[in-house]
Amino acid sequence: MLNQNEKLFMEYWEKSRQKHKRFSYQLLSGLPFGLLFSLPILVAVIFHGWYKIITYISPSQLVVITIAIFGISVFVAVFRMRFKWERNEQFYEELKFRERKIGAANV
């Protein structure tokens, strides 16, 4: 028998699974975490002064570093949200299987 939380999750996931699967939704909802993940890298680059040790960093190299940090944050955001979607989808499929199994046992 499924408990109330599992039934509520199944209803919610049936309604919103396609929305959560879209790349744009995954990017926009995961981007704050991705930026939070890459923020320490940016802080280390700017405030630790490691760039003073090497001879010279041109402004174009700083742009490349900034783009790389943004790329890391986008990757982390999308990867995290896809993993979360897969985990919810697997849980949903397990609940559907249990529901069918219980239904077949009652017949």
Side-chain angles (χ1 to χ4, degrees):
M1 183 57 72
L2 299 176
N3 65 25
Q4 185 65 24
N5 286 338
E6 292 170 340
K7 289 178 185 177
L8 289 173
F9 174 77
M10 284 183 65
E11 291 173 13
Y12 164 74
W13 196 244
E14 285 173 356
K15 293 176 186 174
S16 64
R17 68 195 283 196
Q18 292 303 320
K19 178 180 84 169
H20 286 264
K21 191 175 183 178
R22 289 194 328 253
F23 177 79
S24 59
Y25 180 83
Q26 291 175 347
L27 178 64
L28 291 177
S29 62
L31 199 56
F33 181 80
L35 290 172
L36 189 66
F37 181 81
S38 63
L39 183 67
I41 299 169
L42 186 62
V43 168
V45 167
I46 292 174
F47 296 114
H48 267 73
W50 66 269
Y51 57 88
K52 293 177 185 175
I53 297 171
I54 58 177
T55 57
Y56 176 71
I57 290 185
S58 66
S60 63
Q61 289 172 330
L62 285 177
V63 169
V64 169
I65 291 171
T66 305
I67 290 172
I69 290 171
F70 186 70
I72 290 169
S73 64
V74 167
F75 173 77
V76 168
V78 173
F79 184 79
R80 177 178 179 264
M81 294 308 291
R82 285 192 187 226
F83 180 77
K84 188 175 179 181
W85 186 88
E86 285 289 332
R87 188 179 54 208
N88 286 339
E89 183 69 16
Q90 181 179 358
F91 185 57
Y92 172 75
E93 293 294 330
E94 290 173 3
L95 291 177
K96 290 293 272 189
F97 179 75
R98 276 186 19 204
E99 187 177 55
R100 280 180 284 183
K101 185 177 172 183
I102 291 169
N106 289 338
V107 173

